[in-house]
Amino acid sequence: GRAAIARMQSRLRAIGLYDGAVDGTFGIATRGAIMAFERGLGVIETGLPSHRVLQQLEALTAASND
């Protein structure tokens, strides 16, 4: 949903991959940021806001906040 996409946008922004609005709207900028994140992980680039992507973003940003 929109809340999950907004969380992704916020975390993608925190790691410098997204500079759009954190509004929960899945658009071209969010898709591009997810693809860049997936590319950095070395996984297949789908650009889709999946639960897996959100979990990986949350793990990464939690680790960087410790």
Side-chain angles (χ1 to χ4, degrees), residues 1 4-13 15-19 24-57:
I5 292 172
R7 289 198 328 261
M8 283 186 203
Q9 290 169 330
S10 177
R11 285 161 174 78
L12 288 162
R13 179 180 281 211
I15 59 174
L17 294 177
Y18 179 74
D19 63 359
T25 301
F26 180 69
I28 194 163
T30 304
R31 181 181 172 107
I34 292 171
M35 289 180 78
F37 178 67
E38 290 170 324
R39 188 176 311 122
L41 292 176
V43 299
I44 295 171
E45 296 172 36
T46 66
L48 299 176
S50 69
H51 183 68
R52 177 187 57 84
V53 169
L54 181 56
Q55 284 182 321
Q56 290 171 321
L57 278 167

Side-chain angles (χ1 to χ4, degrees), residues 57-66:
L57 278 167
E58 288 178 335
L60 179 67
T61 53
S64 66
N65 289 333
D66 289 344

